[in-house]
Amino acid sequence: MALIDCGGKRRCACTLYSILSSVIFGIVAVILHLCGLVAFQPAFLWVLLVVSLTYLAVLIAALTYGNHLRECKCTILNTLLAGILGTILSSALLLGLGCIKWTVLSAILGGLLIAFFSLTVTNTACFVKCLALCEK
């Protein structure tokens, strides 16, 4: 699997843990939404969309202009980009469909949104660890 295929065991473990934690966060978000405890308001969706787009722009700029980042061959970047793009697409889909009410479809899409955003957040820590452990 390209998302967790990497050279060092520490990097694979961190990526695997971040994927597992994001799945757990997504399942909890679906359950909470179906119970009526959490509603995905448009302001929340817009905030996640803007944060993810900003995060993607900063990451692209850092990879483009940071020579030391190119030398670090971390495959954690694949999972990080999957989380960012998944958050962008999920929030845009929820905003476009208007699935904010308590339905099964909005619960599943909201769970995917939370899972992708938590994957982005947890993989940021993995990426920082990867940069700290990379040899030039």
Side-chain angles (χ1 to χ4, degrees):
M1 176 180 231
L3 292 178
I4 58 173
D5 181 31
C6 50
K9 289 190 179 280
R10 285 174 283 174
R11 294 182 194 139
C12 286
C14 186
T15 304
L16 184 63
Y17 293 150
S18 68
I19 291 172
L20 289 175
S21 68
S22 68
V23 168
I24 292 169
F25 279 124
I27 291 171
V28 169
V30 168
I31 292 170
L32 290 176
H33 188 69
L34 287 175
C35 291
L37 299 173
V38 174
F40 301 110
Q41 299 296 325
F44 175 71
L45 300 175
W46 279 109
V47 166
L48 287 185
L49 180 65
V50 169
V51 166
S52 296
L53 285 171
T54 306
Y55 196 93
L56 182 63
V58 168
L59 188 63
I60 289 172
L63 291 172
T64 302
Y65 297 113
N67 291 332
H68 64 283
L69 294 176
R70 286 190 210 148
E71 295 171 3
C72 180
K73 304 294 183 198
C74 298
T75 58
I76 293 171
L77 191 60
N78 292 335
T79 313
L80 184 60
L81 287 174
I84 293 170
L85 295 176
T87 303
I88 292 169
L89 293 175
S90 298
S91 59
L93 185 63
L94 276 167
L95 282 168
L97 293 177
C99 293
I100 301 167
K101 298 178 183 162
W102 287 284
T103 63
V104 175
L105 177 63
S106 66
I108 292 172
L109 289 175
L112 280 174
L113 174 68
I114 297 300
F116 281 128
F117 189 69
S118 66
L119 184 65
T120 302
V121 171
T122 55
N123 252 351
T124 301
C126 292
F127 189 61
V128 169
K129 285 177 69 175
C130 178
L131 290 176
L133 296 175
C134 282
E135 298 176 8
K136 294 185 178 181

